[in-house]
Amino acid sequence: MDVSLQEKALSLWQKGDVVAFPTETVYGLGADARKGEAVARIYALKSRPQFNPLIIHVASVEIAKRYGQWNAWADALSRFWPGPLTVVLKRQGGISDLATAGGDTVGIRIPNHPTALALLAAFDGPIAAPSANRSGRISPTTAEHVAQEYPENPPLIIDGGPCVVGLESTVIDLSTTTPTLLRPGAITRTMLEDALGVTFAQGDVAGVLKSPGQLASHYAPTKPLRLNATDYTATEGVLAFGPHMMEAAVSQQLSLTMDMAEAAANMFAALRLLDAHPQVQSIAAMPIPNAGIGEAINDRLMRAAAPKS
Ligand code: TXA
Ligand code: MG
């Protein structure tokens, strides 16, 4: 990253302003997590309901330990950092109430992206950052997507290229006696169970409203989305996975070779393109296996398909 751009981003963060930056999952809209006013600017820009807690991004485990009460579970999972995993811990050390939505826990992660890590290390503090979409819309996986969200009042956007993971981080609650998976992601259920030596109860993810990422409609295109489609109509755009249904007039391919990681990386961009396509009235999504990162892909698709309130 350009040195003067980095300086500009840092000075905005230092004076309590918002900067959009890349991570390996999706682009984030970041501000100093210790300053209520700075965090309020994020909520205002996103038009986000204020009861949603934000993820705190840090450059090192050492900084994470300043803001969350570390425990043995966290130790066992720190092997996935830097990476697409957020751990929820008991809160300490001066994170603003607004960033945690007034709760007594805090979600923390170290993102695995060179630009994000360089910025966070230079800042040497906690950056609260939700995905950089406006509330309820599709998460941005390129700098251009971020710019599209804020046509009138764009924040400074640091371009770090397309996000390689493409789905928001896995969120796991480690603040209670038994860990709970709150949001599936690229660090899969099995990876977490192996690292922790536990088995999550089935339905953990669907059940709890503790993580408002669980709100029914989320990550949503503006057009209706039909899941597990094995056919399509003339007015549907196809969200394709593999070689079938490619003869559709409008389609976006997630992965021709049915590679799940590739599908995850392409999903939000593909949804955006279908959503914006003038010939598409609704979207037909082909079935995707629920194994591994497929659980996270299907979680996002289900939210995208949920009726909007
Ligand atoms: O990959 C990601 O996590 C991206 C990038 C920018 O890091 N960020 C992201 O943030 O997805 P956001 O705000 O869109 O989603 C944060 C999720 C929400 O579902 C929120 O409820 C949950 O994390 N979360 C954050 N802090 C929490 C806490 N203390 N307890 C429970 N859930 C929490
Ligand atoms: Mg989000």
Side-chain angles (χ1 to χ4, degrees), residues 50-175:
Q50 306 227 337
F51 49 78
N52 262 9
L54 306 184
I55 291 172
I56 309 305
H57 297 67
V58 297
S60 66
V61 170
E62 186 203 324
I63 304 178
K65 287 178 175 173
R66 287 185 212 153
Y67 301 107
Q69 284 171 33
W70 204 249
N71 59 30
W73 300 122
D75 243 353
L77 295 187
S78 60
R79 73 173 76 160
F80 297 117
W81 280 355
L85 176 69
T86 296
V87 300
V88 173
L89 301 171
K90 287 267 193 260
R91 160 192 179 192
Q92 65 182 16
I95 298 296
S96 69
D97 280 331
L98 206 50
T100 63
D104 62 354
T105 59
V106 61
I108 307 181
R109 84 178 190 100
I110 305 179
N112 187 17
H113 190 291
T115 307
L117 286 171
L119 278 172
L120 291 168
F123 184 67
D124 190 31
I127 290 294
S131 49
N133 52 287
R134 280 185 292 116
S135 190
R137 290 177 32 100
I138 301 170
S139 293
T141 53
T142 66
E144 199 189 335
H145 293 166
V146 182
Q148 287 164 7
E149 293 291 296
Y150 308 100
E152 272 142 40
N153 49 348
L156 174 66
I157 303 168
I158 308 289
D159 190 345
C163 302
V164 296
V165 173
L167 295 180
E168 306 85 349
S169 61
T170 306
V171 180
I172 185 168
D173 188 353
L174 304 177
S175 70

Side-chain angles (χ1 to χ4, degrees), residues 46 48 130-131 133 139 168 183 218-219:
K46 274 184 71 94
R48 182 177 198 163
S131 49
N133 52 287
S139 293
E168 306 85 349
R183 180 173 75 181
H218 217 81
Y219 321 106

Side-chain angles (χ1 to χ4, degrees), residues 27-304:
Y27 275 70
L29 207 54
D32 191 333
R34 296 162 296 196
K35 294 182 181 156
E37 262 182 60
V39 175
R41 290 206 173 92
I42 301 175
Y43 286 110
L45 202 54
K46 274 184 71 94
S47 321
R48 182 177 198 163
Q50 306 227 337
F51 49 78
N52 262 9
L54 306 184
I55 291 172
I56 309 305
H57 297 67
V58 297
S60 66
V61 170
E62 186 203 324
I63 304 178
K65 287 178 175 173
R66 287 185 212 153
Y67 301 107
Q69 284 171 33
W70 204 249
N71 59 30
W73 300 122
D75 243 353
L77 295 187
S78 60
R79 73 173 76 160
F80 297 117
W81 280 355
L85 176 69
T86 296
V87 300
V88 173
L89 301 171
K90 287 267 193 260
R91 160 192 179 192
Q92 65 182 16
I95 298 296
S96 69
D97 280 331
L98 206 50
T100 63
D104 62 354
T105 59
V106 61
I108 307 181
R109 84 178 190 100
I110 305 179
N112 187 17
H113 190 291
T115 307
L117 286 171
L119 278 172
L120 291 168
F123 184 67
D124 190 31
I127 290 294
S131 49
N133 52 287
R134 280 185 292 116
S135 190
R137 290 177 32 100
I138 301 170
S139 293
T141 53
T142 66
E144 199 189 335
H145 293 166
V146 182
Q148 287 164 7
E149 293 291 296
Y150 308 100
E152 272 142 40
N153 49 348
L156 174 66
I157 303 168
I158 308 289
D159 190 345
C163 302
V164 296
V165 173
L167 295 180
E168 306 85 349
S169 61
T170 306
V171 180
I172 185 168
D173 188 353
L174 304 177
S175 70
T176 54
T177 41
T178 339
T180 313
L181 185 54
L182 297 179
R183 180 173 75 181
I187 304 299
T188 63
R189 176 186 290 271
T190 314
M191 290 159 82
L192 295 169
E193 287 179 338
D194 287 350
L196 295 171
V198 302
T199 307
F200 299 125
Q202 205 53 45
D204 266 4
V205 175
V208 207
L209 240 173
K210 195 164 179 186
S211 193
Q214 318 274 350
L215 288 173
S217 172
H218 217 81
Y219 321 106
T222 55
K223 293 171 184 169
L225 174 67
R226 185 165 66 88
L227 299 178
N228 295 315
T230 50
D231 55 10
Y232 54 88
T233 67
T235 56
E236 281 181 321
V238 172
L239 188 67
F241 180 67
H244 300 294
M245 289 169 45
M246 291 202 19
E247 68 285 359
V250 183
S251 70
Q252 281 295 320
Q253 182 59 256
L254 292 179
S255 171
L256 193 53
T257 59
M258 299 173 118
D259 177 280
M260 303 285 271
E262 185 185 20
N266 287 333
M267 190 171 79
F268 287 141
L271 278 176
R272 268 176 193 269
L273 287 170
L274 292 173
D275 206 23
H277 197 291
Q279 275 159 265
V280 171
Q281 280 171 25
S282 59
I283 302 167
M286 290 174 63
I288 291 172
N290 209 44
I293 195 176
E295 184 180 0
I297 297 176
N298 285 318
D299 172 78
R300 303 310 189 274
L301 281 174
M302 277 188 289
R303 288 173 208 296

